[in-house]
Amino acid sequence: MTSGHGIAGVERRGLMFVLSSPSGAGKTTLSRLLLDRMPGLSMSVSATTRAKRPAEQDGRDYHFVDKARFEAMVKNDELLEWATVFDNRYGTPRAPVEAALSSGSDVLFDIDWQGTQQLREKARADVVSVFILPPSAADLEKRLHTRAQDSDEVIRGRMSRATHELSHWAEYDYIVINYDVEDAFAEVQSILQAERLKRERRTGLTAFVRDLQKQLGQ
Ligand code: 5GP
């Protein structure tokens, strides 16, 4: 991946910041807070074959496509990763991610464990993954009901799917337990800030230090 200007003007390699969790653990809220409060981060908008929920907007929350269009995207290698979740297809369009990274922006992904595995296989050094855990099963269920965008049957499906999702927690770099949204946000923000400072990502450091040494030598 290409690099852009980061902290203190030192060139930095863009990173792929992945948030995964069972539905209802608060990942969508955390993603919104991150995008609002962290400059230099843009959201990867996935393509999906699932039906749009009332509050969702095409192109902002997802690109809502039919099965034929999704198949064509897979066939044409337009997706960086894709998976089937709750009988629907979800995938990450490649071009916007590459454009964002090459303009020096980090990219936020709200994808499941299957997609995270695929990104890791493709770009291990550029992927930072965070798994969000709900504090309890009761809390998860409450959030799914409060959201009230899905039928009871869909909610039951999501609860049973949550158990399966949870089993993948140990594949992630970081684990955040969402007891309180502001506390969880602060933790996720610290992870991103620290990862941005990692030496290996700061491609401009050699030149920066060389310049410092030159100044010191004078
Ligand atoms: P929802 O239907 O609630 O928006 O999302 C269901 C699940 O699909 C969530 O766990 C979400 O992270 C995952 N998901 C959304 N977009 C993608 C994607 O592009 N790729 C993969 N692998 N999972 C996705």
Side-chain angles (χ1 to χ4, degrees):
M1 301 285 154
T2 37
S3 53
H5 286 287
I7 302 110
V10 175
E11 284 252 324
R12 186 172 67 76
R13 203 176 161 87
L15 61 85
M16 301 160 94
F17 199 60
V18 177
L19 290 189
S20 294
S21 74
S23 294
K27 182 182 43 173
T28 308
T29 309
L30 286 172
S31 300
R32 294 222 176 100
L33 290 177
L34 273 172
L35 292 167
D36 282 353
R37 300 182 190 174
M38 294 291 282
L41 185 68
S42 66
M43 185 82 202
S44 164
V45 180
S46 298
T48 183
T49 60
R50 96 149 151 69
K52 191 170 84 60
R53 295 181 186 134
E56 288 177 332
Q57 223 178 304
D58 188 27
R60 184 194 67 179
D61 300 288
Y62 281 105
H63 299 290
F64 294 96
V65 299
D66 61 17
K67 281 185 183 147
R69 174 71 190 118
F70 196 95
E71 290 308 322
M73 290 171 105
V74 172
K75 209 168 140 220
N76 301 334
D77 202 24
E78 289 172 38
L79 300 177
L80 207 49
E81 62 75 34
W82 66 273
T84 304
V85 185
F86 309 124
D87 298 329
N88 292 308
R89 299 274 173 92
Y90 295 82
T92 302
R94 178 194 303 278
V97 174
E98 289 178 349
L101 289 172
S102 58
S103 72
S105 181
D106 294 327
V107 182
L108 178 64
F109 298 80
D110 170 346
I111 60 175
D112 79 335
W113 61 273
Q114 306 173 80
T116 310
Q117 282 185 352
Q118 293 171 51
L119 285 192
R120 217 182 277 122
E121 276 159 26
K122 284 185 180 151
R124 180 67 196 101
D126 297 321
V127 175
V128 176
S129 61
V130 184
F131 198 84
I132 314 291
L133 288 175
S136 67
D139 185 272
L140 190 76
E141 191 165 8
K142 195 178 86 198
R143 283 189 217 216
L144 285 176
H145 279 289
T146 313
R147 189 158 76 181
Q149 291 184 4
D150 295 309
S151 67
D152 282 356
E153 194 195 329
V154 169
I155 291 175
R156 270 195 301 279
R158 281 170 192 259
M159 284 297 286
S160 73
R161 167 98 194 169
T163 316
H164 181 61
E165 284 280 335
L166 275 178
S167 70
H168 290 275
W169 69 275
E171 295 162 22
Y172 285 73
D173 300 320
Y174 298 91
I175 309 296
V176 169
I177 306 176
N178 191 5
Y179 295 105
D180 168 88
V181 71
E182 283 297 334
D183 291 347
F185 168 74
E187 291 185 356
V188 173
Q189 183 182 39
S190 318
I191 295 166
L192 179 57
Q193 280 168 336
E195 288 286 346
R196 282 179 167 176
L197 290 168
K198 274 225 161 140
R199 178 173 43 76
E200 310 89 82
R201 291 213 169 86
R202 305 185 72 190
T203 48
L205 270 185
T206 311
F208 182 81
V209 174
R210 203 184 297 127
D211 195 45
L212 258 184
Q213 285 169 328
K214 241 192 252 158
Q215 293 170 32
L216 286 165
Q218 277 170 7

